[in-house]
Every structure is written in structure tokens, then in C-alpha cells.
């Protein structure tokens, strides 16, 4: 009797070691899923094993990895939460055992066609959130016991950690790719103006919705935009792309920055509800002498004029885009842009620091901005404000009006 208990304990320990093996952490997620399914099939002596991950917006489980049921993955099988065997597990978030599989308790035709007779499934949960479902099946009648349930729950925990890492990696990679595709790598060549931009993703909080944009308009004016969509990650980057495209469209039909931002506000409220966005939109005249600027909840830009200390432009800051409340008319302010002057627009990640007043960072920025070539200004600003490892995204755009040429004697 004692010998039998010892053998069962040793077998249980080997089972646990098989699914918590440190070498598994060296595999990428797809290989890890396959390896776990292979091991659980061997340990439980079952014929099929499958992982279905939750598509949260659709509230459907999607076949992601399988052994013995590979056709599920090839066909992209989906089942709604609450429907069928896997859907029932997802809804209840509890293990489910089917001693006898029938068309009444299973809706997946592939399971039925494969001839699975008994099933055991458990939910995959991470930090209280449903991630998916893991289930195993036998082609012969099988009575799964509590040890089988506990082992499968242990595997599900391993899957939950891997799936979260996979989702975070995919989201960050997609967001970076999207953001880099939307932030211009080369700015327009504009006679009489020098332009440069900088973008640094927030390493601690992930990619967000900061961007800058420069475009020429049919009227000969130059459009200049710096914006910041609230939040971080892929969703914010996607919204940033939509907002950027919409503002470009409105810029083609509006000669007033405030009017373009008013239209953009309506778009954000209607189509991007709940996502606040700040933006600076400026139009620089064809001769470069003036700039018309409107702010939607965005920090005021800094202007450096030769022979004078740099200043923060005295502009009216209107509400951010997407507040959803009726707002008074937005404001556009015309400012002079003298020869040799440098205009610097930025997002708040450049100057904001935890435990420090916004004005302290703004003061450092003003000290760093001089009436110098834009590449020099940008390099000085980025070094002075220490953006090597920012906690938030940083976008910066510097524009300089060329100094007036001096006639030779």
C-alpha cells in the first residue's frame, strides 16, 4: 500500500516536472504550445490536445494549436463563448469533463469526425482574465480523474503566461511598425525653411500615439502637426493613424487651423469615442514670415529668435479633441516668424517627469532651444532633457526660417 502511494507520488512529480521544465522557457510561443501539447498527450495518454485562445472583441475562441486535431487550426475553427464544449468551459471558467461525446454536447464537427469519445477541458486564465481553453480527448471511453484535471490546469497556467507574452510582443511589434510607417522618415524640402523631427518610444510604458507630420498644401502654405493620442500600445497607435489621416484631409478643405481641428474633434467624438487627443496644427505662410497656430489641449510651442531669449508662445489652449462636450469656437493665433527664428513643437513626454512640475521641464526646454540650425537644436534638446529612456513617448518637431542672406560688399 505504502509502495503504491510512493509510486503515485513519484509519477505525479514527473508529470509536474514535465510541464514546468525550465528548458521550455527557451522556446518561442508557437513551439512552446506544440511542445506542451505533445507532453500532455504523453502524460495523460490521450489522443488529442488543443489550445483555443480568446478573441476578446468577438468573444470567440479560436483554434491556435493542436495535436490530433490539426484540422481545427488549418480551418481557423471558432466557437462563441457559451456555445459547445469549449464555449461552456470559457463561460463557466471551470473544468468540464465529458465522459461521452455526442453532437448534443459538442458543436465542433472536427471533434465528431475525428471520433473523440471523451473530453477534459480547463479554462486558461491570466490575472483574472480569460485567455482561452485547453482541452484533451480520447478516442476510447475514458474516465478523467482529479489528478488529470490538476495536471491540465498546470499546463493551462503555463499556456497563459506564454500567450500573454505572445500578445504583448505582437502588439508592441505591430504598434512600432504602424507608428514608424506613419511618422515621416523624410520631411519636405521647403525653400527658406529647415525642418527636422525626432521620435522616441516610451520604453517603460510601450508605444503610444505620439506623432508629428509636415505637408505642403495646394495653396502653398505648409501644414505642421504634432499630436498625442491618450494611452499606449497598438490601440493608441491605430487611433493615431486614423486621426493623422483625417487631419490631412481636413487641411485640404480648411484655410484655418482652428476650423480643421473643429472638424477633427467631431470625427474623434463620433468614431473614436473615449479616446482623448491633443494636437498642435500650424500653417506657415508661403513666404515663411508668419505662422497660424491652433492648439487642442496641447503644450504651447517654444520660439527662439536671434538676439532674444527663447519664449513660450502666448497661445490660447482649447480643449483636447474627443471630450464629447459642446465647446466654444476654437482659436487660431497668427505669430511672426522672423528670419533665423526656430519654432519647436513637442509632446508632453519631452518635458514631463514624475514628481516634478511641468514648468520645470518647460524651463529646461526653453534653455535648450536657441536660434541655431535645427539639427543642432534637436540634438541639444534631446540631450538636455534626457530622453534616452523616457517613460512616455516623445515627439519633437523643429522648424527654422533661414536667416536673411547678407549681400557681399
Amino acid at each position: 500500500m505504502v509502495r503504491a502511494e510512493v509510486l503515485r507520488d513519484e509519477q505525479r512529480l514527473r508529470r509536474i516536472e514535465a510541464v514546468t521544465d525550465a528548458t521550455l522557457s527557451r522556446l518561442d510561443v508557437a513551439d512552446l504550445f506544440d511542445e506542451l501539447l505533445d507532453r500532455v498527450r504523453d502524460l495523460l495518454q490521450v489522443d488529442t490536445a488543443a489550445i483555443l485562445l480568446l478573441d476578446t472583441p468577438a468573444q470567440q475562441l479560436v483554434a491556435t494549436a493542436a495535436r490530433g486535431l490539426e484540422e481545427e487550426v488549418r480551418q481557423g475553427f471558432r466557437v462563441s463563448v457559451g456555445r459547445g464544449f469549449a464555449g461552456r468551459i470559457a463561460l463557466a471558467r471551470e473544468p468540464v469533463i465529458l465522459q461521452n461525446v455526442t453532437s448534443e454536447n459538442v458543436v465542433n464537427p472536427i471533434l465528431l469526425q475525428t471520433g473523440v469519445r471523451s473530453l477534459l477541458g480547463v479554462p486558461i486564465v491570466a490575472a483574472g482574465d480569460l485567455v482561452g481553453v485547453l482541452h484533451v480527448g480520447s478516442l476510447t471511453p475514458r474516465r478523467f480523474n482529479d489528478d488529470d484535471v490538476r495536471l491540465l490546469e498546470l499546463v493551462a497556467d503555463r499556456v497563459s503566461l506564454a500567450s500573454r507574452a505572445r500578445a504583448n510582443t505582437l502588439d508592441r511589434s505591430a504598434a512600432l511598425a504602424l507608428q514608424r510607417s506613419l511618422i515621416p522618415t523624410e520631411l519636405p524640402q521647403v525653400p527658406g525653411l529647415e525642418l527636422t523631427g525626432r521620435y522616441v518610444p516610451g520604453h517603460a510604458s510601450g508605444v503610444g500615439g505620439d506623432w508629428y507630420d509636415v505637408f505642403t498644401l495646394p495653396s502653398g502654405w505648409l501644414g505642421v502637426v504634432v499630436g498625442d493620442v491618450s494611452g499606449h500600445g497598438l490601440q493608441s497607435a491605430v487611433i493615431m493613424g486614423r486621426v493623422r489621416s483625417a487631419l490631412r484631409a481636413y487641411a485640404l478643405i480648411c484655410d484655418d487651423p482652428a476650423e480643421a481641428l473643429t472638424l477633427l474633434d467631431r470625427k474623434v467624438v463620433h468614431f473614436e469615442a473615449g479616446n482623448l487627443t491633443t494636437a498642435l496644427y500650424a500653417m506657415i505662410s508661403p513666404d515663411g514670415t508668419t505662422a497660424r497656430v491652433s492648439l487642442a489641449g496641447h503644450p504651447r510651442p517654444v520660439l527662439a529668435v536671434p538676439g532674444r531669449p527663447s519664449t513660450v508662445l502666448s497661445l490660447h489652449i482649447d480643449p483636447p479633441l474627443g471630450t464629447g462636450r459642446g465647446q466654444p469656437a476654437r482659436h487660431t493665433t497668427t505669430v511672426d516668424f522672423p528670419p533665423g527664428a526656430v519654432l519647436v513643437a513637442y509632446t508632453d513626454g519631452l518635458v514631463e517627469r514624475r514628481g516634478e512640475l511641468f514648468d520645470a521641464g518647460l524651463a529646461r526646454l526653453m534653455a535648450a532651444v536657441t536660434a541655431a540650425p535645427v539639427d543642432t537644436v534637436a540634438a541639444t534638446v534631446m540631450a538636455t532633457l534626457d530622453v534616452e529612456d523616457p517613460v512616455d513617448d516623445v515627439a519633437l518637431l523643429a522648424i527654422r526660417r533661414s536667416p536673411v542672406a547678407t549681400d557681399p560688399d
Side-chain angles (χ1 to χ4, degrees):
M1 185 74 172
V2 174
R3 176 63 177 169
E5 288 290 336
V6 171
L7 288 175
R8 278 198 294 272
D9 287 343
E10 289 179 350
Q11 184 182 39
R12 188 178 297 113
L13 181 59
R14 285 196 298 271
R15 282 177 153 193
I16 292 172
E17 289 175 343
V19 295
T20 58
D21 185 355
T23 59
L24 293 173
S25 62
R26 302 189 185 102
L27 301 175
D28 64 30
V29 175
D31 289 339
L32 174 61
F33 284 177
D34 289 340
E35 182 65 22
L36 284 172
L37 293 181
D38 284 336
R39 293 190 184 194
V40 81
R41 270 212 307 178
D42 182 57
L43 290 167
L44 290 177
Q45 295 183 331
V46 292
D47 302 293
T48 68
I51 295 170
L52 295 90
L53 296 183
L54 180 67
D55 178 347
T56 302
Q59 281 298 287
Q60 291 181 326
L61 297 165
V62 183
T64 304
R67 283 291 187 264
L69 293 169
E70 288 82 358
E71 194 64 25
E72 275 194 358
V73 179
R74 284 194 288 269
Q75 293 185 14
F77 174 76
R78 287 174 171 258
V79 63
S80 298
V81 171
R83 185 168 181 264
F85 172 67
R88 177 181 163 193
I89 297 168
L91 184 63
R93 298 196 185 188
E94 293 180 353
V96 173
I97 296 174
L98 291 182
Q99 304 292 4
N100 185 29
V101 172
T102 70
S103 58
E104 294 181 357
N105 52 31
V106 168
V107 298
N108 182 356
I110 299 172
L111 276 174
L112 297 172
Q113 292 164 9
T114 303
V116 174
R117 299 290 300 278
S118 300
L119 284 167
L120 163 63
V122 298
I124 304 169
V125 179
D129 296 327
L130 180 70
V131 174
V133 168
L134 168 64
H135 67 69
V136 294
S138 173
L139 298 179
T140 57
R142 168 79 176 268
R143 288 190 175 276
F144 292 103
N145 58 36
D146 290 343
D147 281 348
D148 298 330
V149 172
R150 282 192 288 270
L151 177 65
L152 203 59
E153 287 178 330
L154 188 62
V155 178
D157 287 341
R158 192 68 185 260
V159 172
S160 72
L161 295 174
S163 64
R164 277 296 174 94
R166 171 180 178 264
N168 291 338
T169 299
L170 289 174
D171 276 2
R172 182 168 177 80
S173 297
L176 279 169
L178 176 61
Q179 197 154 32
R180 286 169 178 165
S181 71
L182 293 173
I183 293 177
T185 55
E186 292 185 9
L187 298 177
Q189 298 292 319
V190 182
L193 296 177
E194 300 173 18
L195 304 97
T196 193
R198 298 289 188 274
Y199 169 72
V200 180
H203 300 295
S205 53
V207 177
D210 292 22
W211 87 99
Y212 61 82
D213 196 12
V214 181
F215 46 83
T216 54
L217 295 165
S219 60
W221 288 67
L222 184 72
V224 174
V225 182
V226 177
D228 182 359
V229 175
S230 61
H232 302 282
L234 181 58
Q235 181 182 9
S236 293
V238 169
I239 294 170
M240 177 270 285
R242 295 172 184 161
V243 171
R244 173 186 180 272
S245 296
L247 183 50
R248 279 190 162 208
Y250 296 140
L252 290 174
I253 61 174
C254 298
D255 294 329
D256 180 4
E259 183 182 355
L261 291 180
T262 298
L263 293 175
L264 186 60
D265 186 25
R266 294 177 188 171
K267 189 267 185 193
V268 173
V269 168
H270 186 75
F271 291 105
E272 316 293 351
N275 294 282
L276 293 182
T277 299
T278 71
L280 171 150
Y281 177 36
M283 295 174 61
I284 298 177
S285 61
D287 61 6
T289 60
T290 59
R292 307 181 69 201
V293 189
S294 185
L295 301 177
H298 203 80
R300 296 180 177 95
V302 172
L303 180 68
V305 177
R308 304 181 204 166
S310 62
T311 60
V312 175
L313 290 180
S314 180
L315 304 174
H316 189 94
I317 301 179
D318 296 312
L321 309 170
T323 57
R325 301 191 304 269
Q327 301 291 348
R330 294 184 177 273
H331 301 77
T332 293
T333 303
T334 300
V335 298
D336 292 332
F337 198 25
V342 173
L343 180 69
V344 173
Y346 55 94
T347 55
D348 56 13
L350 179 66
V351 296
E352 285 186 338
R353 298 293 181 269
R354 289 194 182 102
E356 181 181 84
L357 294 175
F358 182 89
D359 287 350
L362 183 58
R364 285 196 297 272
L365 174 61
M366 292 173 62
V369 177
T370 59
V374 288
D375 285 333
T376 300
V377 172
T380 303
V381 168
M382 301 301 272
T384 302
L385 276 82
D386 187 22
V387 294
E388 182 177 344
D389 190 23
V391 296
D392 196 3
D393 287 13
V394 173
L396 175 145
L397 191 62
I399 304 169
R400 183 193 191 204
R401 185 181 171 197
S402 299
V404 176
T406 303
D407 294 331
D409 292 335

